[in-house]
Amino acid sequence: MRKKLLLGNWKMNKTREETKVFALGSLALSALAELHGIDIGVAPAYLSLPVVKKYNPNLLVASQNVHYQPSGAYTGEISIAMLKEINITWAIIGHSERRTYDNETSERCNLKIKALLANEMTPVYCVGETLAQFEKNETKKVIKEQISAGFSEISSENAAKVVVAYEPVWSIGTGRNASSEIAQDVCSYIRGLLREKYGEVAEQIRILYGGSVKPENIKTYLSTADIDGALVGGASLSIESFKELINNMI
Ligand code: 13P
């Protein structure tokens, strides 16, 4: 049985002070989620990672990115050792905004996923097609390439530790969420690809949907066979809305 997961991706939002207010406000929510067997967490900006840890140690905390090299001349980047030093063990990899603005390729994501797994950390690997690809009916072709490259040279033992997030680019921040039918169809396709490669282990891999998830629509995704949770941007920023998301997952 896969445990449900709600992960808020704050992107470039919230100062350390705003993070502190949210973290303190989320203490009761962590208890509620635990009671109902749901994992909840947030991915704040780098500077705020230790702030969440300090004020709500029960919230799962993910970095929004990480470099695959252990150290070196990579201006503006952050290493696995730096994250581990402050007890951060999760990282989002290949978010569409990084693929679009920072030329992140699936091959590069694979290097990051391998580096994280070698350090016993959890990657949340994002995949998804653009609007043009969706309109040309290329969704599954794109997803197949992204899954195949992202999971290249990863053992089945390690694959079980990866979380996959299906985020159609056309649904991110647009208010145009994919219907639960579309999302389930693609997430089931992703699980099928993983089953071809890893057999039964695919049943352990958590797959999230992301893209304009709101308290009003989260339930429809969670009631499908292959969607195990959500990666939420805008609606994860206020504590009230985060609470509603959790309540509607229960
Ligand atoms: P929105 O929920 O704001 O559409 O963002 C989704 C997302 O990109 C989460 O990673």
Side-chain angles (χ1 to χ4, degrees), residues 176-192:
R176 182 184 171 190
N177 59 304
S179 67
S180 58
E181 290 78 17
I182 291 179
Q184 159 59 21
D185 182 45
V186 179
C187 291
S188 144
Y189 179 69
I190 292 171
R191 200 176 302 288

Side-chain angles (χ1 to χ4, degrees), residues 9 11 95 97 167 171-174 210-213 231-235:
N9 175 10
K11 310 187 180 186
H95 189 277
E97 285 145 22
E167 297 205 308
S171 73
I172 296 177
T174 58
S212 297
V213 173
L231 184 56
V232 185

